[in-house]
Amino acid sequence: MITNQILQSTIDGLSSITKAELSVIDPDGKVLASNFKESISFASIVKSFATSPADSQEIQGYQFFKIHDELQLCYILVVSGVSEDSYTVGKIAAFQIQTLLIAYKERFDKDNFVKNLLLDNLLLVDIYNRSQKLHIETDARRVVIIAETDINNEVNALELLKNMFAGRPNDFVTAVDEKNIIVVKRVEDGEGYDEVRKTACKVFDLFNAKRKGTDIIHVSYGTIVKEIRDVSRSYKEAKMALDVGRIFFDDQNVIAYSALGIGRLIYQLPIPLCKMFISEIFGNQSPDDFDEETLTTINKFFENSLNVSETSRQLYIHRNTLVYRLDKLQKSTNLDLRVFEDAITFKIALMVVKYMKYMEESI
């Protein structure tokens, strides 16, 4: 349904051109928008007119017009005066509001369709039937971008993003919950993930400019799909990218599903299996038990691709000191980080522990 603000803006615009006084009233007699100079109650007249078979009628010096949404009566338009000019103004105004009603209904229908498409609430046959009815291409390339934001309530995040994509009729912006705003972006021929990432970064920049203090913003995106039925898959991928990104890529504001790597596999492991794996690797201890010096050494060693010389240089320690620390770690864990297979096992174990901690804190 059209908002009262839009109705008021519409009749004000028409009045400024025609100099006529207009009022839009619902079938129960409630005034929704009006620019009548005097406060006049049309409640009883409107209720009587609403039940009559006439589509327009002159009553007590005013013109009354019915505005329908298909077969349902939505509004009564009242125009001051009973002249031919007043009748013409009323017909024009009624047509304008009728057109707005159709446009808003189509917009609502598209938004509702996209939400159900993302949430996998539609049968395959319904997807294609409704796409055809709403004039949405079924074989266009698309990708889903999700913006998760905690920006203050003073900023309408959804409208902010809709304005950003206002000039792109083939892109859809919607929300399925309070925090996540979703963009179903059309990916044109010749475009790829570089363009998708640029768009995702623009979305982040848009919200980043509005955030205050501790407001948190993350943006993620899934893979490009070629069929409309696969849009829900890209949405699920983008959602997973948000979750996995918070755990393993907390220093990145924009994350792609394709960049999750092994973190994507760990995220899907059951917690009991994770605990069993950690117990097998570390016994009764945990990486959390390691002192800060040891953890710093391990992380820097991994950052430098197991290069002893470069790691010791960046840690400002002698090579032999680094070797001593690695030997000490090997004795306590039976894993030698200088051996690729052991390093991989240790790296995965650290990620599993991080995942377990995140899940425990989320409960």
Side-chain angles (χ1 to χ4, degrees):
M1 194 67 72
I2 308 171
T3 64
N4 292 353
Q5 290 86 347
I6 295 295
L7 287 172
Q8 187 66 54
S9 176
T10 301
I11 65 172
D12 285 345
L14 289 166
S15 291
S16 67
I17 298 170
T18 64
K19 310 305 179 185
E21 296 178 0
L22 304 166
S23 182
V24 180
I25 305 171
D26 70 14
D28 294 324
K30 180 182 177 182
V31 177
L32 304 176
S34 177
N35 53 27
F36 274 59
K37 295 176 182 177
E38 298 179 5
S39 179
I40 306 171
S41 176
F42 296 104
S44 59
I45 300 175
V46 163
K47 289 178 181 179
S48 176
F49 174 62
T51 58
S52 72
D55 286 330
S56 64
Q57 193 172 353
E58 295 179 9
I59 306 174
Q60 297 181 11
Y62 298 92
Q63 302 270 7
F64 289 76
F65 300 85
K66 290 179 181 177
I67 301 173
H68 293 86
D69 177 12
E70 295 183 354
L71 298 177
Q72 182 180 356
L73 179 62
C74 290
Y75 305 117
I76 304 293
L77 174 70
V78 183
V79 184
S80 61
V82 293
S83 66
E84 187 175 336
D85 288 344
S86 298
Y87 177 80
T88 302
V89 169
K91 292 293 285 185
I92 293 172
F95 177 77
Q96 178 69 21
I97 295 172
Q98 180 79 53
T99 303
L100 281 174
L101 196 61
I102 293 171
Y104 268 72
K105 184 180 178 183
E106 182 174 323
R107 176 179 171 183
F108 173 79
D109 285 347
K110 282 187 177 181
D111 188 68
N112 188 50
F113 169 71
V114 170
K115 285 181 181 178
N116 283 303
L117 180 67
L118 293 169
L119 297 174
D120 248 343
N121 289 339
L122 298 171
L123 296 174
L124 187 59
V125 65
D126 291 333
I127 291 174
Y128 286 97
N129 286 341
R130 293 185 64 181
S131 295
Q132 185 177 15
K133 184 178 178 181
L134 295 169
H135 309 292
I136 298 173
E137 288 186 60
T138 58
D139 57 352
R141 298 168 69 231
R142 295 182 174 91
V143 67
V144 173
I145 301 171
I146 300 180
E148 180 189 60
T149 171
D150 285 335
I151 62 175
N152 60 84
N153 294 328
E154 296 175 6
V155 179
N156 190 325
L158 180 59
E159 289 302 318
L160 203 62
L161 205 53
K162 281 185 177 181
N163 289 337
M164 176 179 172
F165 287 87
R168 296 182 59 89
N170 293 317
D171 294 341
F172 303 100
V173 180
T174 189
V176 295
D177 54 45
E178 294 180 355
K179 292 181 63 176
N180 295 331
I181 303 171
I182 299 130
V183 179
V184 181
K185 182 186 184 307
R186 169 78 172 266
V187 182
E188 304 295 342
D189 294 338
E191 292 183 341
Y193 287 104
D194 287 342
E195 286 76 18
V196 174
R197 182 167 185 83
K198 287 176 183 177
T199 302
C201 289
K202 287 179 181 178
V203 171
F204 172 77
D205 292 340
L206 176 71
F207 289 125
N208 190 43
K210 298 289 182 180
R211 72 173 174 177
K212 298 178 181 178
T214 57
D215 293 338
I216 300 171
I217 299 165
H218 292 102
V219 178
S220 67
Y221 55 93
T223 56
I224 298 173
V225 296
K226 298 179 181 180
E227 286 280 342
I228 195 167
R229 64 184 179 184
D230 295 323
V231 166
S232 62
R233 173 164 60 83
S234 186
Y235 170 64
K236 291 171 185 174
E237 292 170 348
K239 274 186 67 67
M240 180 181 285
L242 273 182
D243 294 336
V244 176
R246 274 193 295 267
I247 302 171
F248 302 116
F249 305 94
D250 53 356
D251 59 332
Q252 297 184 33
N253 299 112
V254 179
I255 184 72
Y257 175 79
S258 59
L260 300 180
I262 198 171
R264 188 171 72 209
L265 298 178
I266 294 173
Y267 179 75
Q268 299 178 76
L269 293 175
I271 295 298
L273 186 61
C274 293
K275 291 181 178 179
M276 186 185 303
F277 175 71
I278 295 301
S279 178
E280 291 173 355
I281 299 298
F282 297 110
N284 294 326
Q285 62 177 338
S286 164
D288 291 339
D289 300 329
F290 296 147
D291 57 58
E292 186 175 346
E293 181 183 81
T294 302
L295 288 173
T296 301
T297 301
I298 293 169
N299 290 328
K300 188 61 69 174
F301 194 52
F302 284 137
E303 284 177 19
N304 289 290
S305 303
L306 314 185
N307 187 308
V308 174
S309 298
E310 183 60 24
T311 302
S312 60
R313 186 186 70 81
Q314 291 189 19
L315 289 174
Y316 303 103
I317 60 175
H318 194 276
R319 177 189 175 92
N320 291 343
T321 303
L322 176 58
V323 171
Y324 169 75
R325 291 181 184 177
L326 295 175
D327 287 341
K328 182 180 176 182
L329 186 64
Q330 181 183 3
K331 289 179 182 178
S332 64
T333 63
N334 291 319
L335 293 172
D336 186 354
L337 299 193
R338 290 159 292 190
V339 177
F340 181 74
E341 186 174 341
D342 285 357
I344 288 292
T345 301
F346 201 97
K347 178 65 174 178
I348 292 173
L350 289 177
M351 293 179 71
V352 169
V353 169
K354 196 170 185 179
Y355 164 64
M356 290 168 57
K357 286 181 64 178
Y358 176 83
M359 296 304 293
E360 288 172 3
E361 292 171 358
S362 300
I363 297 176

